[in-house]
Amino acid sequence: MQPGEGFDFQQLMAQAQQMQQAVMAAQQEIAESEVEGEAGGGLVRARIRATGEVLALTIDPKVVDPEDVETLQDLIIGALNDAMATAQNLAAERLGPLAGGLGGGALPGL
């Protein structure tokens, strides 16, 4: 801005509204996305929505051992955590360019 020029508040508000619409669209896209995670080389697989809702859990019968329930529990936790990490990466990928327009700060609720 040059000395003597007025600040264009209306333009700033229009840009803020565009940014808000872009963020809302990205959040909706993320909420509708499904991601997968796995553990034990694919013996346990989890499919979740990027919001964290578990949609499916697949366990290969080879891993079911009544004498070793702890390993199965660990594999399930690992698959869910892998899926959640994928969901977080998806959100960062989709919202990353938009966060730059907000000064690079974190977006609340994500």
Side-chain angles (χ1 to χ4, degrees):
M1 177 167 37
Q2 298 294 324
E5 289 183 14
F7 183 73
D8 191 347
F9 187 73
Q10 191 171 17
Q11 181 182 2
L12 179 64
M13 290 303 294
Q15 288 175 340
Q17 186 176 19
Q18 288 174 346
M19 177 68 69
Q20 182 182 20
Q21 289 171 349
V23 169
M24 289 172 60
Q27 288 174 327
Q28 182 65 32
E29 181 181 340
I30 292 165
E32 294 171 358
S33 297
E34 295 180 10
V35 295
E36 289 193 9
E38 65 175 52
L43 293 173
V44 175
R45 295 178 183 270
R47 185 168 43 93
I48 66 169
R49 281 209 171 86
T51 57
E53 177 186 2
V54 178
L55 300 172
L57 182 65
T58 306
I59 302 171
D60 189 310
K62 292 186 284 191
V63 77
V64 179
D65 178 359
E67 301 296 320
D68 188 13
V69 175
E70 288 180 14
T71 296
L72 179 57
Q73 292 168 338
D74 290 343
L75 289 170
I76 292 169
I77 290 168
L80 291 171
N81 286 337
D82 186 47
M84 288 300 296
T86 301
Q88 290 175 347
N89 289 337
L90 173 71
E93 178 183 301
R94 297 274 163 60
L95 291 172
L98 299 174
L102 299 173
L107 297 173
L110 295 175

Coordinates of all heavy atoms in Angstrom, one line a residue:
M1 N 0.8 -1.2 0.0 CA 0.0 0.0 0.0 C 0.9 1.2 0.0 O 1.8 1.3 0.8 CB -0.9 0.0 1.2 CG -1.8 1.2 1.4 SD -3.1 1.0 2.6 CE -2.5 0.1 3.9
Q2 N 0.6 2.2 -0.8 CA 1.4 3.4 -1.0 C 0.8 4.4 0.0 O -0.3 4.4 0.4 CB 1.2 3.9 -2.4 CG 1.8 3.0 -3.5 CD 3.3 2.9 -3.3 OE1 4.0 3.8 -3.0 NE2 3.8 1.6 -3.6
P3 N 1.7 5.3 0.4 CA 1.2 6.4 1.3 C 0.1 7.2 0.6 O 0.1 7.5 -0.5 CB 2.5 7.3 1.5 CG 3.6 6.4 1.2 CD 3.1 5.4 0.2
G4 N -0.9 7.5 1.4 CA -2.0 8.2 0.9 C -3.2 7.3 0.3 O -4.3 7.8 0.1
E5 N -2.9 6.0 0.1 CA -3.9 5.1 -0.4 C -4.7 4.6 0.8 O -4.1 4.3 1.8 CB -3.3 4.0 -1.2 CG -2.7 4.3 -2.5 CD -2.2 3.1 -3.2 OE1 -2.5 2.0 -2.8 OE2 -1.5 3.3 -4.2
G6 N -6.0 4.4 0.6 CA -6.8 3.9 1.7 C -6.8 2.4 1.7 O -6.4 1.7 0.8
F7 N -7.0 1.9 2.9 CA -7.1 0.4 3.1 C -8.4 -0.1 2.5 O -9.4 0.4 2.9 CB -6.9 0.1 4.6 CG -6.9 -1.3 4.9 CD1 -5.8 -2.1 4.6 CD2 -8.0 -2.0 5.5 CE1 -5.7 -3.4 4.9 CE2 -7.9 -3.3 5.7 CZ -6.8 -4.1 5.5
D8 N -8.3 -1.1 1.7 CA -9.5 -1.7 1.1 C -10.1 -2.8 2.0 O -9.9 -4.0 1.8 CB -9.2 -2.2 -0.3 CG -10.5 -2.5 -1.1 OD1 -11.6 -2.6 -0.5 OD2 -10.4 -2.8 -2.3
F9 N -10.9 -2.3 3.0 CA -11.5 -3.3 3.9 C -12.5 -4.2 3.2 O -12.6 -5.4 3.6 CB -12.2 -2.5 5.0 CG -12.7 -3.4 6.1 CD1 -11.8 -4.0 7.0 CD2 -14.1 -3.6 6.3 CE1 -12.3 -4.8 8.0 CE2 -14.5 -4.4 7.3 CZ -13.6 -5.0 8.2
Q10 N -13.2 -3.7 2.2 CA -14.2 -4.6 1.5 C -13.4 -5.7 0.8 O -13.9 -6.8 0.8 CB -14.9 -3.7 0.5 CG -16.1 -4.4 -0.1 CD -17.0 -3.5 -0.9 OE1 -16.6 -2.4 -1.2 NE2 -18.2 -3.9 -1.1
Q11 N -12.3 -5.4 0.2 CA -11.5 -6.5 -0.5 C -11.0 -7.5 0.5 O -11.1 -8.7 0.3 CB -10.4 -5.9 -1.3 CG -9.5 -6.9 -2.0 CD -8.3 -6.3 -2.7 OE1 -8.1 -5.2 -2.6 NE2 -7.6 -7.2 -3.4
L12 N -10.6 -7.0 1.7 CA -10.1 -7.9 2.7 C -11.3 -8.8 3.2 O -11.1 -10.1 3.4 CB -9.6 -7.1 3.9 CG -9.1 -8.0 5.1 CD1 -7.9 -8.8 4.7 CD2 -8.7 -7.1 6.2
M13 N -12.4 -8.3 3.4 CA -13.6 -9.1 3.8 C -14.0 -10.1 2.7 O -14.3 -11.3 3.0 CB -14.8 -8.2 4.1 CG -14.6 -7.4 5.4 SD -14.2 -8.3 6.8 CE -15.7 -9.2 7.0
A14 N -13.9 -9.8 1.5 CA -14.2 -10.7 0.4 C -13.2 -11.8 0.4 O -13.6 -13.0 0.2 CB -14.2 -10.0 -1.0
Q15 N -11.9 -11.5 0.6 CA -10.9 -12.6 0.6 C -11.1 -13.5 1.8 O -10.9 -14.7 1.7 CB -9.5 -11.9 0.7 CG -9.1 -11.3 -0.6 CD -7.7 -10.6 -0.5 OE1 -7.3 -10.2 0.6 NE2 -7.1 -10.4 -1.6
A16 N -11.5 -12.9 3.0 CA -11.7 -13.7 4.2 C -12.9 -14.6 3.9 O -12.9 -15.8 4.4 CB -12.0 -12.8 5.4
Q17 N -13.9 -14.1 3.3 CA -15.1 -15.0 3.0 C -14.7 -16.1 2.0 O -15.2 -17.3 2.2 CB -16.2 -14.1 2.4 CG -17.5 -14.9 2.2 CD -18.7 -14.0 1.7 OE1 -18.4 -13.0 1.2 NE2 -19.9 -14.5 1.9
Q18 N -13.9 -15.8 1.0 CA -13.5 -16.9 0.1 C -12.7 -17.9 0.8 O -12.8 -19.1 0.6 CB -12.6 -16.3 -1.0 CG -13.5 -15.5 -2.0 CD -12.6 -14.8 -3.1 OE1 -11.4 -14.7 -2.9 NE2 -13.2 -14.3 -4.1
M19 N -11.8 -17.5 1.7 CA -11.0 -18.4 2.5 C -11.9 -19.3 3.4 O -11.7 -20.5 3.5 CB -10.0 -17.6 3.4 CG -9.1 -18.5 4.3 SD -8.0 -19.5 3.4 CE -6.8 -18.3 2.8
Q20 N -12.9 -18.7 4.0 CA -13.8 -19.4 4.9 C -14.5 -20.5 4.1 O -14.7 -21.6 4.5 CB -14.8 -18.5 5.6 CG -15.7 -19.2 6.5 CD -16.7 -18.2 7.2 OE1 -17.0 -17.1 6.7 NE2 -17.3 -18.7 8.3
Q21 N -15.0 -20.1 2.9 CA -15.7 -21.1 2.1 C -14.8 -22.2 1.6 O -15.2 -23.4 1.6 CB -16.3 -20.4 0.8 CG -17.4 -19.5 1.2 CD -17.9 -18.6 0.0 OE1 -17.2 -18.5 -1.0 NE2 -19.0 -18.0 0.1
A22 N -13.5 -21.9 1.3 CA -12.6 -22.9 0.9 C -12.3 -23.9 2.1 O -12.2 -25.1 1.9 CB -11.3 -22.3 0.4
V23 N -12.1 -23.3 3.3 CA -11.9 -24.2 4.5 C -13.1 -25.1 4.8 O -12.9 -26.3 5.0 CB -11.6 -23.3 5.7 CG1 -11.6 -24.1 7.0 CG2 -10.2 -22.6 5.5
M24 N -14.3 -24.5 4.7 CA -15.5 -25.3 4.9 C -15.6 -26.4 3.9 O -16.0 -27.6 4.2 CB -16.7 -24.4 4.9 CG -16.8 -23.5 6.1 SD -18.1 -22.3 6.1 CE -19.6 -23.3 6.0
A25 N -15.3 -26.2 2.6 CA -15.4 -27.2 1.6 C -14.3 -28.3 1.8 O -14.6 -29.5 1.7 CB -15.2 -26.6 0.2
A26 N -13.1 -27.9 2.2 CA -12.1 -28.9 2.6 C -12.5 -29.7 3.8 O -12.3 -30.9 3.8 CB -10.8 -28.2 2.8
Q27 N -13.1 -29.1 4.8 CA -13.5 -29.8 6.0 C -14.6 -30.8 5.6 O -14.6 -32.0 6.1 CB -14.0 -28.9 7.1 CG -12.9 -28.1 7.7 CD -13.4 -27.1 8.7 OE1 -14.5 -26.5 8.5 NE2 -12.7 -26.8 9.7
Q28 N -15.5 -30.5 4.7 CA -16.6 -31.4 4.3 C -16.0 -32.5 3.5 O -16.4 -33.7 3.7 CB -17.6 -30.6 3.5 CG -18.8 -31.5 3.0 CD -19.6 -32.0 4.2 OE1 -19.8 -31.3 5.2 NE2 -20.1 -33.2 4.1
E29 N -15.0 -32.2 2.6 CA -14.4 -33.3 1.9 C -13.6 -34.3 2.8 O -13.7 -35.5 2.6 CB -13.4 -32.7 0.9 CG -12.7 -33.7 0.0 CD -11.7 -33.0 -1.0 OE1 -11.8 -31.8 -1.2 OE2 -10.8 -33.7 -1.5
I30 N -13.0 -33.7 3.8 CA -12.2 -34.6 4.7 C -13.2 -35.4 5.5 O -13.0 -36.6 5.7 CB -11.4 -33.7 5.7 CG1 -10.2 -33.1 4.9 CG2 -10.8 -34.6 6.8 CD1 -9.6 -32.0 5.6
A31 N -14.3 -34.9 6.0 CA -15.3 -35.6 6.8 C -15.9 -36.8 6.0 O -16.2 -37.8 6.6 CB -16.4 -34.7 7.3
E32 N -16.0 -36.6 4.7 CA -16.6 -37.7 3.9 C -15.6 -38.7 3.4 O -15.9 -39.7 2.8 CB -17.3 -37.0 2.6 CG -18.5 -36.2 3.0 CD -19.1 -35.4 1.9 OE1 -18.5 -35.4 0.8 OE2 -20.1 -34.7 2.1
S33 N -14.3 -38.4 3.6 CA -13.2 -39.3 3.1 C -13.1 -40.6 4.0 O -13.3 -40.5 5.2 CB -11.9 -38.6 3.1 OG -11.9 -37.5 2.2
E34 N -12.8 -41.7 3.4 CA -12.5 -42.9 4.1 C -11.0 -43.3 3.9 O -10.5 -43.1 2.8 CB -13.4 -44.0 3.6 CG -14.8 -43.8 3.9 CD -15.7 -45.0 3.3 OE1 -15.2 -46.0 2.9 OE2 -16.9 -44.8 3.3
V35 N -10.4 -43.7 5.0 CA -9.0 -44.1 4.9 C -8.8 -45.5 5.5 O -9.7 -46.0 6.3 CB -8.0 -43.1 5.6 CG1 -8.1 -41.8 4.8 CG2 -8.4 -42.9 7.0
E36 N -7.7 -46.2 5.2 CA -7.4 -47.5 5.7 C -6.1 -47.5 6.5 O -5.2 -46.7 6.2 CB -7.4 -48.6 4.6 CG -8.8 -48.8 4.0 CD -8.8 -50.1 3.2 OE1 -7.8 -50.8 3.1 OE2 -9.8 -50.3 2.5
G37 N -6.1 -48.4 7.4 CA -4.8 -48.6 8.2 C -4.7 -50.1 8.3 O -5.6 -50.9 8.2
E38 N -3.4 -50.5 8.6 CA -3.2 -52.0 8.8 C -2.1 -52.2 9.8 O -1.3 -51.3 10.1 CB -2.8 -52.6 7.4 CG -1.5 -52.2 6.8 CD -1.2 -52.9 5.6 OE1 -2.0 -53.0 4.7 OE2 -0.1 -53.5 5.5
A39 N -2.0 -53.4 10.3 CA -1.0 -53.8 11.2 C -0.7 -55.3 10.9 O -1.5 -56.0 10.4 CB -1.4 -53.6 12.6
G40 N 0.5 -55.7 11.3 CA 0.9 -57.1 11.2 C 1.0 -57.5 9.7 O 0.7 -58.6 9.3
G41 N 1.5 -56.6 8.9 CA 1.6 -56.9 7.5 C 0.3 -57.1 6.8 O 0.2 -57.9 5.8
G42 N -0.7 -56.5 7.3 CA -2.1 -56.6 6.7 C -2.9 -57.7 7.3 O -4.1 -57.9 6.8
L43 N -2.5 -58.3 8.4 CA -3.3 -59.3 9.1 C -4.5 -58.7 9.7 O -5.6 -59.3 9.8 CB -2.5 -60.1 10.1 CG -1.4 -61.0 9.6 CD1 -0.5 -61.5 10.7 CD2 -2.0 -62.1 8.7
V44 N -4.4 -57.4 10.1 CA -5.5 -56.7 10.7 C -5.6 -55.4 9.9 O -4.6 -54.6 9.7 CB -5.3 -56.4 12.2 CG1 -6.5 -55.5 12.7 CG2 -5.3 -57.7 13.0
R45 N -6.8 -55.1 9.4 CA -7.0 -53.9 8.6 C -8.2 -53.1 9.2 O -9.2 -53.8 9.6 CB -7.3 -54.2 7.1 CG -6.2 -54.8 6.4 CD -6.6 -55.2 5.0 NE -5.5 -55.9 4.3 CZ -4.5 -55.2 3.6 NH1 -4.5 -53.9 3.5 NH2 -3.6 -55.9 3.0
A46 N -8.1 -51.8 9.2 CA -9.2 -51.0 9.7 C -9.5 -49.9 8.6 O -8.6 -49.4 8.0 CB -8.8 -50.3 11.0
R47 N -10.8 -49.7 8.4 CA -11.3 -48.7 7.5 C -12.1 -47.7 8.3 O -13.0 -48.1 9.0 CB -12.1 -49.2 6.3 CG -12.5 -48.2 5.3 CD -13.0 -48.8 4.0 NE -14.0 -49.9 4.2 CZ -15.3 -49.7 4.3 NH1 -15.8 -48.5 4.2 NH2 -16.1 -50.8 4.5
I48 N -11.7 -46.4 8.3 CA -12.4 -45.4 9.1 C -12.7 -44.2 8.2 O -12.1 -44.0 7.1 CB -11.5 -44.9 10.3 CG1 -10.3 -44.2 9.8 CG2 -11.2 -46.1 11.2 CD1 -9.5 -43.5 10.9
R49 N -13.7 -43.4 8.7 CA -13.9 -42.1 8.1 C -12.8 -41.2 8.7 O -12.3 -41.4 9.8 CB -15.2 -41.5 8.5 CG -16.3 -42.1 7.6 CD -17.5 -41.1 7.5 NE -18.4 -41.7 6.5 CZ -19.4 -42.6 6.8 NH1 -19.6 -42.9 8.0 NH2 -20.2 -43.0 5.8
A50 N -12.4 -40.1 8.0 CA -11.4 -39.2 8.4 C -11.8 -38.5 9.7 O -11.0 -38.0 10.4 CB -11.0 -38.2 7.4
T51 N -13.1 -38.6 10.1 CA -13.6 -38.0 11.3 C -13.3 -38.9 12.5 O -13.4 -38.5 13.7 CB -15.1 -37.8 11.3 OG1 -15.7 -39.0 11.0 CG2 -15.4 -36.7 10.2
G52 N -12.8 -40.2 12.2 CA -12.5 -41.1 13.3 C -13.5 -42.2 13.5 O -13.3 -43.2 14.2
E53 N -14.6 -42.2 12.8 CA -15.7 -43.2 12.9 C -15.1 -44.5 12.2 O -14.7 -44.5 11.1 CB -16.9 -42.8 12.1 CG -18.0 -43.8 12.1 CD -19.2 -43.4 11.3 OE1 -19.2 -42.3 10.7 OE2 -20.2 -44.2 11.2
V54 N -15.1 -45.6 13.0 CA -14.7 -46.9 12.5 C -15.8 -47.5 11.6 O -16.9 -47.7 12.0 CB -14.3 -47.9 13.6 CG1 -13.9 -49.2 13.0 CG2 -13.2 -47.3 14.5
L55 N -15.4 -47.8 10.3 CA -16.4 -48.4 9.4 C -16.3 -49.9 9.3 O -17.2 -50.6 9.1 CB -16.2 -47.7 8.0 CG -16.4 -46.2 8.0 CD1 -16.0 -45.7 6.6 CD2 -17.9 -45.9 8.3
A56 N -15.0 -50.4 9.3 CA -14.8 -51.8 9.1 C -13.5 -52.3 9.8 O -12.6 -51.5 9.9 CB -14.7 -52.2 7.6
L57 N -13.5 -53.5 10.2 CA -12.3 -54.1 10.8 C -12.2 -55.5 10.3 O -13.2 -56.3 10.5 CB -12.4 -54.1 12.4 CG -11.3 -54.7 13.1 CD1 -10.0 -53.8 12.9 CD2 -11.6 -54.8 14.6
T58 N -11.1 -55.8 9.7 CA -10.9 -57.1 9.1 C -9.8 -57.8 9.8 O -8.7 -57.2 9.9 CB -10.6 -57.0 7.6 OG1 -11.7 -56.3 7.0 CG2 -10.5 -58.4 6.9
I59 N -10.0 -59.0 10.3 CA -9.0 -59.8 11.0 C -8.7 -61.1 10.2 O -9.7 -61.9 10.1 CB -9.4 -60.0 12.4 CG1 -9.6 -58.7 13.2 CG2 -8.3 -60.9 13.1 CD1 -10.2 -58.9 14.5
D60 N -7.5 -61.3 9.8 CA -7.2 -62.6 9.1 C -7.2 -63.7 10.2 O -6.7 -63.6 11.3 CB -5.7 -62.5 8.6 CG -5.4 -63.7 7.7 OD1 -5.6 -64.8 8.2 OD2 -4.9 -63.4 6.6
P61 N -8.0 -64.8 9.9 CA -8.1 -65.9 10.9 C -6.8 -66.4 11.4 O -6.7 -67.0 12.5 CB -8.9 -67.0 10.1 CG -9.6 -66.2 9.0 CD -8.7 -65.0 8.7
K62 N -5.7 -66.3 10.6 CA -4.4 -66.8 11.0 C -3.9 -66.1 12.3 O -3.1 -66.7 13.0 CB -3.3 -66.5 9.9 CG -3.5 -67.4 8.7 CD -2.4 -67.2 7.7 CE -2.5 -65.8 7.0 NZ -1.6 -65.6 5.9
V63 N -4.4 -64.9 12.6 CA -3.8 -64.2 13.7 C -4.7 -64.5 15.0 O -4.3 -64.0 16.1 CB -3.8 -62.7 13.4 CG1 -5.1 -62.0 13.4 CG2 -2.8 -62.0 14.3
V64 N -5.8 -65.2 14.9 CA -6.6 -65.4 16.0 C -6.1 -66.7 16.8 O -6.2 -67.8 16.3 CB -8.1 -65.7 15.6 CG1 -9.0 -65.9 16.8 CG2 -8.6 -64.5 14.8
D65 N -5.5 -66.4 17.9 CA -5.0 -67.4 18.8 C -5.6 -67.2 20.2 O -5.2 -66.3 20.9 CB -3.5 -67.3 18.8 CG -2.8 -68.4 19.7 OD1 -3.5 -69.2 20.4 OD2 -1.6 -68.4 19.8
P66 N -6.5 -68.1 20.6 CA -7.1 -67.9 22.0 C -6.0 -67.8 23.1 O -6.3 -67.3 24.1 CB -7.9 -69.2 22.1 CG -8.1 -69.8 20.8 CD -6.9 -69.3 20.0
E67 N -4.9 -68.4 22.9 CA -3.8 -68.3 23.9 C -3.0 -67.0 23.9 O -2.2 -66.8 24.8 CB -2.8 -69.5 23.7 CG -3.5 -70.9 23.7 CD -4.0 -71.2 25.1 OE1 -3.4 -70.9 26.1 OE2 -5.1 -71.8 25.1
D68 N -3.3 -66.2 22.8 CA -2.5 -64.9 22.7 C -3.4 -63.8 22.3 O -3.2 -63.2 21.2 CB -1.4 -65.1 21.7 CG -0.4 -63.9 21.7 OD1 -0.5 -63.1 22.6 OD2 0.4 -63.9 20.7
V69 N -4.4 -63.5 23.1 CA -5.3 -62.4 22.8 C -4.6 -61.1 22.8 O -5.0 -60.2 22.0 CB -6.5 -62.4 23.8 CG1 -7.4 -61.2 23.6 CG2 -7.3 -63.7 23.7
E70 N -3.6 -60.9 23.6 CA -2.9 -59.6 23.7 C -2.3 -59.2 22.3 O -2.3 -58.0 22.0 CB -1.8 -59.7 24.7 CG -2.3 -59.7 26.1 CD -1.2 -59.7 27.2 OE1 0.0 -59.5 26.9 OE2 -1.5 -60.0 28.3
T71 N -1.7 -60.1 21.6 CA -1.2 -59.8 20.3 C -2.3 -59.3 19.3 O -2.1 -58.3 18.6 CB -0.5 -61.0 19.6 OG1 0.7 -61.3 20.5 CG2 0.0 -60.7 18.2
L72 N -3.4 -59.9 19.3 CA -4.5 -59.5 18.5 C -5.0 -58.1 18.9 O -5.2 -57.3 18.1 CB -5.7 -60.5 18.6 CG -7.0 -60.2 17.8 CD1 -6.6 -60.0 16.3 CD2 -8.0 -61.2 18.0
Q73 N -5.1 -57.9 20.2 CA -5.5 -56.5 20.7 C -4.5 -55.5 20.2 O -4.9 -54.4 19.7 CB -5.6 -56.5 22.2 CG -6.7 -57.3 22.7 CD -6.7 -57.6 24.2 OE1 -5.6 -57.5 24.8 NE2 -7.8 -57.9 24.8
D74 N -3.2 -55.8 20.3 CA -2.2 -54.9 19.8 C -2.3 -54.6 18.3 O -2.1 -53.5 17.9 CB -0.8 -55.4 20.2 CG -0.5 -55.4 21.7 OD1 -1.2 -54.7 22.4 OD2 0.5 -56.1 22.1
L75 N -2.5 -55.6 17.6 CA -2.7 -55.5 16.1 C -3.9 -54.6 15.8 O -3.8 -53.8 14.9 CB -2.8 -56.8 15.4 CG -1.5 -57.7 15.4 CD1 -1.8 -59.1 14.9 CD2 -0.5 -57.0 14.5
I76 N -5.0 -54.8 16.5 CA -6.2 -53.9 16.2 C -5.9 -52.5 16.6 O -6.2 -51.6 15.8 CB -7.4 -54.5 17.1 CG1 -7.8 -55.8 16.5 CG2 -8.5 -53.5 17.0 CD1 -8.8 -56.6 17.4
I77 N -5.2 -52.3 17.7 CA -4.9 -50.9 18.1 C -3.9 -50.3 17.0 O -4.1 -49.1 16.6 CB -4.3 -50.9 19.5 CG1 -5.3 -51.2 20.5 CG2 -3.6 -49.5 19.8 CD1 -4.8 -51.4 21.9
G78 N -3.0 -51.1 16.6 CA -2.0 -50.6 15.6 C -2.7 -50.3 14.3 O -2.4 -49.2 13.6
A79 N -3.7 -51.1 13.8 CA -4.4 -50.8 12.6 C -5.2 -49.5 12.7 O -5.3 -48.7 11.8 CB -5.3 -52.0 12.2
L80 N -5.9 -49.4 13.8 CA -6.7 -48.1 14.1 C -5.8 -46.9 14.1 O -6.1 -45.9 13.5 CB -7.5 -48.3 15.3 CG -8.7 -49.3 15.2 CD1 -9.3 -49.5 16.6 CD2 -9.7 -48.9 14.2
N81 N -4.7 -47.0 14.8 CA -3.8 -45.9 14.9 C -3.2 -45.5 13.5 O -3.0 -44.3 13.2 CB -2.7 -46.1 15.9 CG -3.1 -46.0 17.3 OD1 -4.1 -45.4 17.6 ND2 -2.4 -46.7 18.2
D82 N -2.9 -46.5 12.7 CA -2.4 -46.3 11.4 C -3.4 -45.6 10.5 O -3.1 -44.7 9.8 CB -2.0 -47.7 10.7 CG -1.3 -47.5 9.4 OD1 -0.4 -46.6 9.3 OD2 -1.7 -48.2 8.5
A83 N -4.7 -46.0 10.7 CA -5.7 -45.4 9.9 C -5.9 -43.9 10.4 O -6.1 -43.0 9.5 CB -7.1 -46.1 10.1
M84 N -5.8 -43.7 11.7 CA -6.0 -42.3 12.2 C -4.8 -41.4 11.7 O -5.1 -40.2 11.4 CB -6.0 -42.3 13.7 CG -7.3 -42.8 14.3 SD -8.8 -41.9 13.7 CE -8.5 -40.3 14.5
A85 N -3.6 -42.0 11.7 CA -2.5 -41.2 11.1 C -2.7 -40.8 9.7 O -2.4 -39.7 9.3 CB -1.2 -42.0 11.3
T86 N -3.3 -41.8 8.9 CA -3.6 -41.5 7.5 C -4.6 -40.4 7.4 O -4.5 -39.5 6.5 CB -4.0 -42.8 6.8 OG1 -3.0 -43.8 6.9 CG2 -4.3 -42.5 5.3
A87 N -5.6 -40.4 8.3 CA -6.7 -39.4 8.3 C -6.1 -38.0 8.6 O -6.4 -37.0 8.0 CB -7.8 -39.8 9.2
Q88 N -5.2 -38.0 9.6 CA -4.6 -36.7 9.9 C -3.7 -36.2 8.8 O -3.7 -35.0 8.5 CB -3.7 -36.9 11.2 CG -4.6 -37.1 12.4 CD -3.8 -37.4 13.7 OE1 -2.6 -37.7 13.6 NE2 -4.5 -37.3 14.8
N89 N -3.0 -37.1 8.1 CA -2.2 -36.7 7.0 C -3.1 -36.1 5.9 O -2.7 -35.1 5.2 CB -1.3 -37.8 6.4 CG -0.2 -38.2 7.4 OD1 0.2 -37.3 8.2 ND2 0.3 -39.4 7.3
L90 N -4.2 -36.8 5.6 CA -5.2 -36.3 4.6 C -5.7 -34.9 5.0 O -5.7 -34.0 4.1 CB -6.4 -37.3 4.5 CG -7.5 -36.8 3.6 CD1 -7.1 -36.9 2.2 CD2 -8.7 -37.7 3.9
A91 N -6.0 -34.7 6.2 CA -6.5 -33.3 6.7 C -5.4 -32.3 6.5 O -5.6 -31.2 6.0 CB -6.9 -33.4 8.1
A92 N -4.1 -32.6 6.9 CA -3.0 -31.7 6.7 C -2.8 -31.4 5.2 O -2.5 -30.2 4.9 CB -1.8 -32.3 7.4
E93 N -2.9 -32.4 4.4 CA -2.7 -32.2 3.0 C -3.8 -31.3 2.4 O -3.5 -30.4 1.6 CB -2.7 -33.6 2.3 CG -2.6 -33.5 0.8 CD -2.7 -34.9 0.2 OE1 -1.9 -35.8 0.6 OE2 -3.6 -35.1 -0.6
R94 N -5.0 -31.5 2.8 CA -6.1 -30.7 2.2 C -6.2 -29.3 2.7 O -6.6 -28.4 2.1 CB -7.4 -31.4 2.4 CG -7.5 -32.8 1.7 CD -8.0 -32.7 0.3 NE -7.8 -33.8 -0.5 CZ -8.2 -35.0 -0.4 NH1 -8.9 -35.4 0.7 NH2 -7.9 -36.0 -1.3
L95 N -5.9 -29.2 4.0 CA -6.0 -27.9 4.7 C -4.7 -27.1 4.7 O -4.7 -25.9 5.0 CB -6.5 -28.0 6.1 CG -8.0 -28.5 6.2 CD1 -8.4 -28.8 7.6 CD2 -8.9 -27.5 5.6
G96 N -3.6 -27.8 4.4 CA -2.3 -27.1 4.5 C -2.2 -25.8 3.7 O -1.8 -24.8 4.2
P97 N -2.6 -25.9 2.4 CA -2.5 -24.6 1.6 C -3.4 -23.5 2.1 O -3.1 -22.4 2.0 CB -2.9 -25.1 0.2 CG -2.7 -26.6 0.2 CD -2.9 -27.0 1.6
L98 N -4.5 -23.9 2.7 CA -5.4 -22.9 3.3 C -4.9 -22.3 4.6 O -5.1 -21.2 4.8 CB -6.8 -23.6 3.5 CG -7.5 -24.1 2.2 CD1 -8.8 -24.9 2.6 CD2 -7.8 -23.0 1.3
A99 N -4.2 -23.1 5.3 CA -3.6 -22.6 6.6 C -2.6 -21.5 6.4 O -2.5 -20.6 7.1 CB -3.0 -23.8 7.4
G100 N -1.9 -21.6 5.2 CA -1.0 -20.6 4.9 C -1.6 -19.2 4.7 O -1.1 -18.2 5.1
G101 N -2.9 -19.2 4.3 CA -3.6 -18.0 4.1 C -4.1 -17.4 5.5 O -4.5 -16.3 5.6
L102 N -4.0 -18.3 6.5 CA -4.4 -17.8 7.8 C -3.2 -17.5 8.7 O -3.3 -17.6 9.9 CB -5.3 -18.9 8.5 CG -6.6 -19.3 7.8 CD1 -7.2 -20.5 8.4 CD2 -7.5 -18.2 7.8
G103 N -2.1 -17.3 8.1 CA -0.9 -17.0 8.9 C -0.2 -18.2 9.3 O 0.7 -18.2 10.1
G104 N -0.6 -19.4 8.8 CA 0.1 -20.6 9.1 C -0.3 -21.2 10.4 O 0.3 -22.2 10.9
G105 N -1.3 -20.6 11.1 CA -1.7 -21.1 12.4 C -2.5 -22.4 12.2 O -3.0 -22.7 11.2
A106 N -2.7 -23.1 13.4 CA -3.5 -24.3 13.4 C -5.0 -23.9 13.3 O -5.4 -22.9 13.8 CB -3.2 -25.1 14.7
L107 N -5.7 -24.8 12.7 CA -7.1 -24.6 12.6 C -7.8 -25.3 13.8 O -7.6 -26.5 14.0 CB -7.7 -25.2 11.3 CG -7.1 -24.5 10.0 CD1 -7.6 -25.2 8.8 CD2 -7.6 -23.0 10.0
P108 N -8.6 -24.6 14.5 CA -9.3 -25.3 15.7 C -10.2 -26.4 15.2 O -10.8 -26.3 14.2 CB -10.1 -24.2 16.3 CG -9.8 -22.9 15.5 CD -9.0 -23.3 14.4
G109 N -10.2 -27.5 16.0 CA -11.1 -28.6 15.8 C -10.5 -29.6 14.8 O -11.2 -30.6 14.5
L110 N -9.3 -29.4 14.3 CA -8.8 -30.4 13.3 C -7.4 -30.8 13.8 O -6.7 -30.2 14.4 CB -8.7 -29.7 11.9 CG -10.0 -29.4 11.3 CD1 -9.8 -28.7 10.0 CD2 -10.8 -30.7 11.1

